[in-house]
Amino acid sequence: MRALSQEAVVLLNRIATVAAAKESVSVRDDQYVFIETQGTQQIKDQGSDTFRRSDWYAVDGRRPGLARITVLSGPSAKGTEDMVMSAYPNATTYRELAALPTDPDRLYEKIWADTEGQGPTHEAAALEMIGSMLEEATLLPEVDAALYRAAAKIPGVTVVEKARDLAGRAGIGLMFGNGDESDVWVFDKETLDYLGSDDVALLASGVVDKIGDRSGD
C-alpha cells in the first residue's frame, strides 16, 4: 500500500472545510436534480465528439428522467438529442446519497467495504466510487465534505499544481491511479469549488421543479 501524501491530505481537508460551509438546500421528492457536464465520446474509426449534456434525475429515483445531449464538435454532427432515462433500481438516488454517513471514518469504512475486490487496486476503486458521487454531492454540503475527508484517508492521491478539466478550465488537481488509468479531480484554485475532472467537466448543478428547468435560470 502506498503512503499517504500529506500535501494531498491537507488540500482535501481544505476542500472539505469549504464544502461544509456551503448552504444546504431544502429538496422535495417531486423535484429533479439537474446536472450539466461537458465530455467526449469516441466515434469508432472517426475520432471523438465533444458534447454538452444536461441530465434531470428524479430526487426519489422513482420517475423517469431526461438526458439532453448537444454535440459541440466532432464527426457525428448530430446536434441536440433528448433521451428519456428510465428509473433504474440500482442507481444511487439523491435521497440515498443524502443518507450516507457524514462522519468521515464511517463513510470511509462503508466505501472501503463496498469496493473490496474491485479495480486495479482497492485504493483506486474506492477513489473512483467517491469520484462518481462528487457531481451530485455538491448539493449536499455535509456529505460532500465527508467524501473529501474520506478520500484523505486513502493512499495514492497526489497534488497536481496545474490541472485542467475537460472544458479547459485551469485549477489545482488531485490525481490517483497510474498511466492511462489515472484520473484527476480539478478544483478552482481560489474558491476550491469542484470543477469536474480531466474526463468530464461539471458546468452546473442544482435542484429544479421539472424536467427542462435549469439551475440558476
Side-chain angles (χ1 to χ4, degrees):
M1 180 179 288
R2 297 166 64 181
L4 288 165
S5 162
Q6 288 307 305
E7 186 182 17
V9 169
V10 169
L11 179 57
L12 280 161
N13 282 308
R14 284 178 56 210
I15 292 167
T17 299
V18 169
K22 293 181 179 178
E23 187 175 351
S24 60
V25 179
S26 179
V27 178
R28 305 187 311 269
D29 279 348
D30 65 337
Q31 292 181 300
Y32 292 84
V33 173
F34 168 73
I35 303 287
E36 185 176 37
T37 56
Q38 184 168 315
T40 60
Q41 181 178 11
Q42 186 69 30
I43 307 300
K44 186 177 180 180
D45 300 327
Q46 298 182 60
S48 61
D49 284 342
T50 298
F51 63 86
R52 189 159 293 176
R53 174 169 174 153
S54 297
D55 286 285
W56 290 267
Y57 303 102
V59 165
D60 62 5
R62 297 178 181 175
R63 288 160 289 128
L66 183 76
R68 178 166 293 159
I69 301 171
T70 300
V71 175
L72 303 176
S73 62
S76 64
K78 290 182 179 178
T80 299
E81 180 181 3
D82 284 358
M83 295 187 300
V84 174
M85 308 294 284
S86 300
Y88 182 53
N90 295 324
T92 302
T93 68
Y94 176 90
R95 288 301 184 205
E96 290 171 334
L97 193 63
L100 287 174
T102 55
D103 175 82
D105 291 329
R106 288 181 57 212
L107 184 56
Y108 165 80
E109 290 169 3
K110 174 175 172 52
I111 290 169
W112 195 251
D114 288 349
T115 54
E116 185 174 3
Q118 299 180 19
T121 67
H122 198 167
E123 292 81 8
L127 290 163
E128 185 176 347
M129 174 175 279
I130 290 172
S132 72
M133 303 179 194
L134 294 182
E135 291 176 2
E136 287 191 54
T138 58
L139 306 172
L140 294 158
E142 291 187 359
V143 172
D144 202 24
L147 285 169
Y148 291 123
R149 295 194 193 281
K153 300 176 183 295
I154 302 171
V157 185
T158 57
V159 174
V160 180
E161 290 292 341
K162 295 181 180 180
R164 290 187 181 273
D165 70 7
L166 191 79
R169 295 175 296 182
I172 190 166
L174 287 161
M175 182 174 69
F176 61 94
N178 296 304
D180 293 339
E181 299 298 323
S182 65
D183 290 291
V184 182
W185 302 338
V186 185
F187 302 84
D188 185 281
K189 270 196 171 182
E190 300 298 324
T191 66
L192 295 183
D193 288 338
Y194 178 63
L195 299 179
S197 72
D198 57 339
D199 288 325
V200 179
L202 175 62
L203 304 180
S205 62
V207 177
V208 297
D209 288 336
K210 63 181 185 294
I211 288 175
D213 286 352
R214 298 170 61 85
S215 176
D217 287 354

